[in-house]
Amino acid sequence: MSTAPGTAPADVRRTRRSLVAGTVGNFVEWYEFGAYGFFATVIAANFFSSTSTSDAESLIKTYASFALAFFFRPIGAAVFGRLGDRIGRRPTLILVLLLMTVSTTLIGILPTYATVGAAAPWLLTLVRALQGLSAGGEFGGAVSIMTEFAPRTKRGLYGAWQSFTVALGLLTGAGLAATLATVLSKEALTDWGWRIPFLLALPLGLVALWLRLRLDETPNFAKVQQEAAPPADKAEVAKAIALGIGRLMGWSAAGYTFLVVMPSYLQATLNATFQQALVATVLANLGFAVSILPAGWLSDRIGRRPVMVTGAALVVVLAFPLMNLLQDKESSNAGKGLAVFAAGLVVGLMAGPGPAMLAEMFPTRARYTGLGLAYSLSNAVFSGSAGLIITELIKRTKNIDIPAYYVVVTCAVSVVALLTLRGDDHRRELRD
C-alpha cells in the first residue's frame, strides 16, 4: 500500500499497524460466525435434536440461536461504543477481543444434547449471547481505528479492509468446513470434527491480542480528548443511526443470504450434498472477496454513492435469475458456480465502501457508538434473522424463491436510502 509523499516513517508504521490490528479481530469474529453458519445442520443435530424434533425444527432452532447472538450485538455496540468514545479505541478493542476469543473457544468444548439433554441448547445460546456482545463492540472500534488513521483520500480503501477480512474469515471457515467434510466420515464430523473450527479460535485470538497490545490510540480521538470537546448531539446521532440502518440493510440481507445461509438452503431445500453446498459458498465468498478492495478504492475516486447504489440495484435485478438457475436441475455445475460467484461479487460493491461511508456519518465523539449501533442493528434484523426468516417462510409457504424476495425488498430500500448520500462525502475530513 502506497503512502503520501512526505509522510513520516513512524506515521506509516502506525497506520499499517492500525490496519492489521483493526482487521485481525474482525477476521476471528467472522471466521467463527461463518463456521457456525456452515455447520448449522451439524450443530442442529448435536444441540437441538431429540426424538420428538424434526430436522427442519432443529435447523430453525439453530438459526434462532444464531439470530439471538445478533440481537445482542446492539447491546455490545452501545456498551463498548460508549467505552470506546470515552476511554479510547485501543483499550476497548482489547477487552472486546478477549471476550470474543473465550466465548468462541467455549463452543468447541460444550456438551451436546446426547450428554446433558435439554441443558445443551441453553448453554450454546448463552455462549452465543456472549459472542454477540463482543461482536457488537468489534465493528465500531475496528472501523474507527482504520478510518481515523487513514489518509483522507484513502478512507474507502482502508475501511474496505474491514469488509475484506469478513470475506477472509468466511472463506477460512468455509474452507476448513469443506476440508473436514472431505477428510472425515459423516459420523466423525457429526461426533467431534465440527468442534475443531471453534477450538482454533484460541490460538487465533492470542495472535490478535498480541497485535492489539501494540496498537496506538487514534489521532482523532486524542485530539478530541485533549480539547475536551462537548458530547455529540444525541438527536443528530440517532437520526444518523436510523439512516445508516437503511443504507446497510441490503448489504446485511444479501450478504448473509448469499454468503452464509446458502449452504443450509441448498441442502434443506434443493437437496444438495454438504460438500456441494460448501463449494457453492466458497465460490460466493471468493466473488465477495474479489470485489471489496476495488470497490473501496473506486469509492475514493468517484464517491460512495454510485458504487453502493450500483451494488444494491444489481442485487434487485439479479436475485430471481440466480435463484432460478440454482433451482434448475438442467443447469450445469459451472453455470451455477459462476452465478453464486457473481452474487458474492455484487455484494462486495456494497461492502467495500460501506465502512468508510458509516465513519463519515458520525463525529469522532460518537463514531465508535454510532457506526457500531447502525451496523449491529442492521445485522441483527437483516443478517442474523436471515436464516430463521428464510427457513421458516419456506417451511410455511413451500415457496423456494423466498431468498430472492428477501434480498430484493431489502436492497430496494437501501437504494432509496443510499441516494441521500452527498456526492462529496469522500472528500471531506472526518468530523470531530
Side-chain angles (χ1 to χ4, degrees):
M1 188 174 294
S2 62
T3 57
T7 303
D11 291 336
V12 173
R13 287 194 297 271
R14 290 175 68 206
T15 300
R16 289 176 176 171
R17 194 181 301 142
S18 74
L19 273 179
V20 176
T23 56
V24 68
N26 194 61
F27 171 84
V28 175
E29 173 197 338
W30 288 93
Y31 157 79
E32 185 284 327
F33 270 84
Y36 190 93
F38 302 139
F39 280 109
T41 53
V42 178
I43 292 172
N46 274 290
F47 287 89
F48 295 93
S49 287
S50 64
T51 54
S52 61
T53 306
S54 69
D55 289 343
E57 289 173 341
S58 297
L59 186 59
I60 288 170
K61 289 178 180 178
T62 303
Y63 275 129
S65 175
F66 191 76
L68 180 68
F70 275 87
F71 280 97
F72 272 87
R73 284 187 172 208
I75 300 174
V79 172
F80 291 113
R82 186 173 178 82
L83 279 176
D85 285 328
R86 287 195 169 207
I87 68 172
R89 283 64 165 122
R90 178 183 180 274
T92 307
L93 281 174
I94 290 171
L95 180 61
V96 164
L97 181 64
L98 289 172
L99 180 59
M100 182 192 307
T101 301
V102 170
S103 57
T104 300
T105 305
L106 281 175
I107 290 183
I109 61 177
L110 285 179
T112 62
Y113 199 99
T115 304
V116 296
W122 287 105
L123 289 172
L124 178 64
T125 301
L126 174 62
V127 174
R128 295 293 299 167
L130 294 176
Q131 285 180 310
L133 289 173
S134 64
E138 173 66 26
F139 180 86
V143 173
S144 294
I145 285 283
M146 287 182 277
T147 55
E148 289 176 3
F149 270 114
R152 179 178 53 80
T153 58
K154 294 184 178 181
R155 277 199 304 265
L157 178 59
Y158 276 56
W161 280 92
Q162 189 279 339
S163 296
F164 186 65
T165 52
V166 171
L168 288 182
L170 292 174
L171 276 171
T172 303
L176 182 56
T179 301
L180 292 172
T182 301
V183 302
L184 297 178
S185 65
K186 184 177 180 180
E187 292 74 19
L189 187 69
T190 303
D191 186 33
W192 57 268
W194 64 271
R195 296 181 182 274
I196 294 174
F198 302 102
L199 294 174
L200 287 176
L202 181 58
L204 288 173
L206 291 175
V207 172
L209 178 61
W210 176 75
L211 290 168
R212 286 202 168 164
L213 287 171
R214 301 174 67 241
L215 184 66
D216 295 323
E217 192 53 80
T218 71
N220 294 68
F221 181 80
K223 177 184 176 184
V224 168
Q225 286 292 91
Q226 185 178 8
E227 295 176 352
D233 184 284
K234 292 183 178 179
E236 179 187 352
V237 171
K239 181 180 177 181
I241 290 171
L243 184 57
I245 293 171
R247 291 171 177 176
L248 292 180
M249 63 187 291
W251 168 18
S252 300
Y256 253 75
T257 299
F258 292 142
L259 305 178
V260 177
V261 176
M262 190 66 72
S264 296
Y265 170 77
L266 293 174
Q267 291 174 80
T269 307
L270 303 184
N271 300 315
T273 66
F274 186 62
Q275 289 85 349
Q276 289 172 333
L278 282 174
V279 168
T281 307
V282 168
L283 288 173
N285 278 280
L286 280 173
F288 182 56
V290 164
S291 63
I292 290 171
L293 294 179
W297 174 85
L298 184 61
S299 75
D300 284 328
R301 301 300 182 274
I302 66 174
R304 321 293 181 217
R305 183 174 61 194
V307 180
M308 297 187 71
V309 167
T310 298
L314 283 174
V315 172
V316 173
V317 172
L318 298 176
F320 280 100
L322 168 66
M323 286 294 113
N324 294 335
L325 182 60
L326 293 176
Q327 296 158 6
D328 185 1
K329 296 181 180 179
E330 303 299 321
S331 299
S332 67
N333 288 333
K336 292 179 179 179
L338 182 61
V340 295
F341 180 87
L345 190 146
V346 170
V347 174
L349 295 179
M350 293 181 279
M357 179 273 293
L358 275 179
E360 290 159 358
M361 293 178 65
F362 299 94
T364 299
R365 294 162 291 165
R367 184 167 296 119
Y368 197 139
T369 304
L371 67 88
L373 278 172
Y375 183 78
S376 59
L377 286 168
S378 177
N379 275 271
V381 178
F382 303 106
S383 291
S385 300
L388 181 62
I389 292 170
I390 290 169
T391 305
E392 181 66 23
L393 286 178
I394 290 175
K395 178 186 174 184
R396 289 178 179 273
T397 66
K398 311 301 181 186
N399 186 342
I400 60 176
D401 286 332
I402 290 297
Y405 284 107
Y406 184 63
V407 298
V408 164
V409 171
T410 50
C411 283
V413 174
S414 275
V415 167
V416 176
L418 287 165
L419 287 173
T420 64
L421 280 167
R422 293 182 301 190
D424 64 345
D425 278 347
H426 62 295
R427 299 191 183 97
R428 295 171 179 260
E429 296 288 350
L430 290 175
R431 291 184 292 150
D432 291 334

